[in-house]
Structures are given as C-alpha cells and as structure tokens.
Amino acid sequence: MRLPLLFLSGEEDEFVPPNMMSQLFEASASEQKQLVRFPGGTHNNTWRTEGFFQYIADFINCNRDHSINSEPRQQTVTKLT
C-alpha cells in the first residue's frame, strides 16, 4: 500500500490504548506511515496537546505531492516529551 498514513495516539487513551495503536501501525501495509504519541493525551483531549495540529500540517505538507508511483519514505515513530 502506498498511501501515506498518520497515526495520532494519546498515551492515556482508554478507548484506543497506545499498545493497540502500535498494533494498528505495525499491521498497516503503508510504506509511508508515521505514529505520533502524545503524553497525557486521552481519547477526547489529545487534540488539545501541544503540537497536535502541527504534526498534521507537517504530515500533509510532506505528503501533498504523494502519488502512487512515488518512492516510499522511512516509517517513523515519534514520541513527544
């Protein structure tokens, strides 16, 4: 799969716990994927965590010229501190 995927995970999320998000990330066949974990983020407030919207904007900017024929980029896992 060549579509870019961004996984945003609150480390205190009880509905989609971090270990489940990690499993989803690993199971994804996307060659261009990124997992970002937000300390203290819960299911309903992770969007309020510092950097949340910036990660979305950066991901979109990095992938806006994506095409099915583009070369895959390295997978990353980012944890904010």
Side-chain angles (χ1 to χ4, degrees), residues 47-81:
W47 66 274
R48 293 181 177 184
T49 308
E50 184 177 341
F52 183 85
F53 291 105
Q54 189 61 54
Y55 270 98
I56 295 171
D58 291 348
F59 187 81
I60 290 170
N61 286 332
C62 287
N63 291 286
R64 73 173 143 205
D65 296 329
H66 171 80
S67 73
I68 298 252
N69 298 319
S70 63
E71 290 297 315
R73 290 194 336 253
Q74 186 174 5
Q75 305 170 8
T76 59
V77 177
T78 305
K79 181 176 178 179
L80 298 179
T81 55

Side-chain angles (χ1 to χ4, degrees), residues 33-44:
K33 59 186 176 181
Q34 182 176 5
L35 170 60
V36 183
R37 295 188 174 121
F38 295 91
T42 66
H43 190 74
N44 291 321

